[in-house]
Amino acid sequence: MIIRRNIYPAIESVLPAPEALVVTGMRRVGKTTLLKTILEHLPSPNKIYLDLENPRNQLYFEQTDYDAVFATLQLLGLNKNERMYVFLDEIQRVRNLPSVVKYLLDTYGIKFILSGSSSYYLKNQFSESLVGRKYIFELYPLSFSEFLQTKGLPPPPISDNPAAPVSHALYETYKVSMDEYLQFGGFPGVVQKTSQEEKKAALEDIFTSYYQLEVLQWSDFRKGHKIRDLLMLLLARTGSKLEISKLSSLLGLARETVSDYLAFLQGTYFIHLVPPFSTNRDVEIRKAPKVYICDPGLARQFAQVDEGALFENAVYANLHPKGHVQYYQRKNGLEMDFILGNQGYEVKLHPHKDDVRKTQALGNEIGIQNALTVSRDYVALPGVIYLFNL
């Protein structure tokens, strides 16, 4: 089935604009499917789709004469007398593609809809070459609301008061799906498998593909095994503060090298670093960020991490696409797991009344308008929400 991704309306809104549209994200998150969905729903017949994993299609764009590239597109059926749409998938396969796109966009007014894996270098190339000429959309594994589409379940009702208690019946409606999502995550290729063995094998394949094709093929780091070791250390530290000095010591690498590796892993969407919340920017920079993995299924499959950290990772994965997420923690240990705008979230497996009260009190102290507790288990308390409420 075709899943209508949450990002689709935002993409649809800029299709009339002249700028190029770039969809990026980690491997296997559904970029190709999204591109083909846009292609299918575009009413114009004057459109071409090319997969740049095909060596023949790569040759079209490796020509040094960019006018010849345009002539080739015309031979493939593009009509220069109408608005032209060119869809290119796997754009990281052609190194000089940003300059080709810039020329054809400026000279012939072609509307480009592009997708590519989250190559660290690809992202930087497009940032430099298409300044003011592009929209970048980042696609992630399925959120829980998107996951529910695959199960044929309706979205939960939207309440005017998110702090109001949720009925046990509503919780039970989504419980089985929540359990599956927390165990195997939201990669579309994993979700579509029917057995646990197939899902686990699909997760293994995603991790192997990322390491072989993203880390080893696209990075220029000489010590690939050190990045592998760092990956495993980070997986085991899901939801924890990042201590670069300790990682440096464990890996036998300089701090600067570890920082470069972390930037690469973040730039390729495998990890996310969550900064501390502070009104003082200097304080925020000094404090260590927390690390989370791109998908709850990968975190569970490859890390010996407690259930609380794994559930926290799943909550983060659903908050992150909505905006800039931070965390708050005091020296005495009092904390708010996530802050998004004026909303705070404390994550608990099975919160008690005191937990909810402390979360709300802390929210008031630090100026957070709404402070809610996200629970995995059902508890009949006001101020408690669940994965399906995010």
Side-chain angles (χ1 to χ4, degrees):
M1 67 176 296
I2 297 297
I3 303 164
R4 184 175 174 85
R5 303 301 299 264
N6 292 339
I7 201 174
Y8 188 84
I11 291 176
E12 199 172 33
S13 70
V14 299
L15 280 175
E19 290 83 2
L21 193 159
V22 184
V23 178
T24 186
M26 192 175 163
R27 293 179 179 276
R28 313 286 185 86
V29 293
K31 298 183 299 295
T32 298
T33 300
L34 179 60
L35 221 66
K36 290 183 176 180
T37 300
I38 300 168
L39 177 73
E40 181 183 342
H41 288 87
L42 192 68
S44 171
N46 196 28
K47 53 192 177 184
I48 294 174
Y49 172 89
L50 295 171
D51 181 357
L52 294 182
E53 284 203 322
N54 185 325
R56 181 190 62 190
N57 293 338
Q58 293 173 14
L59 289 173
Y60 298 154
F61 294 92
E62 289 172 350
Q63 300 176 79
T64 55
D65 183 349
Y66 295 168
D67 291 314
V69 176
F70 179 67
T72 299
L73 293 175
Q74 288 181 286
L75 288 174
L76 292 172
L78 210 60
N79 181 356
K80 68 177 182 179
N81 297 317
E82 301 175 16
R83 191 170 193 210
M84 298 169 284
Y85 297 88
V86 174
F87 290 73
L88 301 178
D89 199 6
E90 300 292 347
I91 53 178
Q92 75 279 357
R93 297 293 180 182
V94 179
R95 289 282 184 179
N96 68 323
L97 194 69
S99 60
V100 181
V101 168
K102 178 180 179 296
Y103 180 84
L104 296 178
L105 189 157
D106 290 345
T107 307
Y108 298 105
I110 294 175
K111 175 71 176 186
F112 282 96
I113 298 92
L114 315 166
S115 80
S117 70
S118 55
S119 167
Y120 183 61
Y121 303 103
L122 171 67
K123 195 175 179 183
N124 290 342
Q125 274 185 306
F126 268 87
S127 296
E128 295 168 3
S129 302
L130 288 170
V131 175
R133 296 179 177 86
K134 69 184 180 308
Y135 290 98
I136 292 183
F137 293 91
E138 295 176 312
L139 192 65
Y140 302 101
L142 301 180
S143 67
F144 186 61
S145 65
E146 292 170 329
F147 179 86
L148 288 176
Q149 289 184 47
T150 70
K151 304 301 174 184
L153 288 171
I158 298 174
S159 172
D160 293 332
N161 179 14
V166 170
S167 72
H168 199 181
L170 183 62
Y171 174 85
E172 288 295 331
T173 300
Y174 300 106
K175 184 181 185 306
V176 172
S177 294
M178 282 194 294
D179 289 345
E180 182 181 340
Y181 182 82
L182 292 174
Q183 184 171 3
F184 297 110
F187 278 100
V190 176
V191 174
Q192 291 165 2
K193 302 298 183 186
T194 55
S195 72
Q196 291 197 7
E197 290 72 20
E198 288 177 315
K199 291 177 185 291
K200 290 177 182 178
L203 284 168
E204 293 279 351
D205 185 55
I206 287 168
F207 183 78
T208 300
S209 174
Y210 171 78
Y211 180 70
Q212 295 290 339
L213 300 179
E214 202 72 54
V215 175
L216 297 184
Q217 181 173 324
W218 286 101
S219 77
D220 59 3
F221 301 125
R222 296 176 189 174
K223 299 179 179 178
H225 65 288
K226 291 290 187 179
I227 304 184
R228 176 203 62 203
D229 294 345
L230 176 59
L231 278 171
M232 303 315 295
L233 288 173
L234 294 173
L235 282 160
R237 285 162 172 74
T238 298
S240 301
K241 287 184 181 179
L242 200 63
E243 300 177 73
I244 293 181
S245 295
K246 189 169 184 178
L247 291 173
S248 173
S249 176
L250 288 169
L251 293 166
L253 295 171
R255 281 177 55 93
E256 294 77 12
T257 303
V258 174
S259 294
D260 287 344
Y261 287 179
L262 290 170
F264 176 83
L265 296 176
Q266 189 174 21
T268 51
Y269 300 100
F270 190 87
I271 64 168
H272 299 282
L273 301 182
V274 177
F277 172 82
S278 174
T279 55
N280 186 326
R281 179 62 177 163
D282 291 334
V283 172
E284 182 177 318
I285 291 172
R286 285 199 305 269
K287 289 187 176 180
K290 283 187 174 183
V291 63
Y292 293 95
I293 308 305
C294 61
D295 177 74
L298 280 180
R300 182 179 291 273
Q301 178 84 352
F302 293 99
Q304 297 296 319
V305 182
D306 66 69
E307 288 293 316
L310 291 169
F311 181 52
E312 192 176 310
N313 201 116
V315 172
Y316 172 76
N318 280 264
L319 292 176
H320 170 65
K322 299 179 181 181
H324 182 55
V325 179
Q326 298 168 285
Y327 78 92
Y328 179 82
Q329 188 174 53
R330 290 180 174 169
K331 289 182 179 179
N332 63 6
L334 200 61
E335 64 178 359
M336 185 83 68
D337 286 320
F338 302 117
I339 295 173
L340 176 61
N342 65 355
Q343 185 73 64
Y345 302 91
E346 177 64 10
V347 182
K348 299 286 185 182
L349 294 178
H350 192 99
H352 300 285
K353 191 174 182 179
D354 278 352
D355 296 321
V356 178
R357 179 186 57 78
K358 288 177 183 177
T359 297
Q360 292 170 341
L362 180 58
N364 291 333
E365 285 184 41
I366 62 178
I368 299 299
Q369 184 175 340
N370 298 302
L372 300 170
T373 301
V374 187
S375 178
R376 185 195 64 180
D377 300 336
Y378 181 76
V379 291
L381 292 171
V384 173
I385 62 172
Y386 304 92
L387 205 56
F388 55 82
N389 297 130
L390 293 175

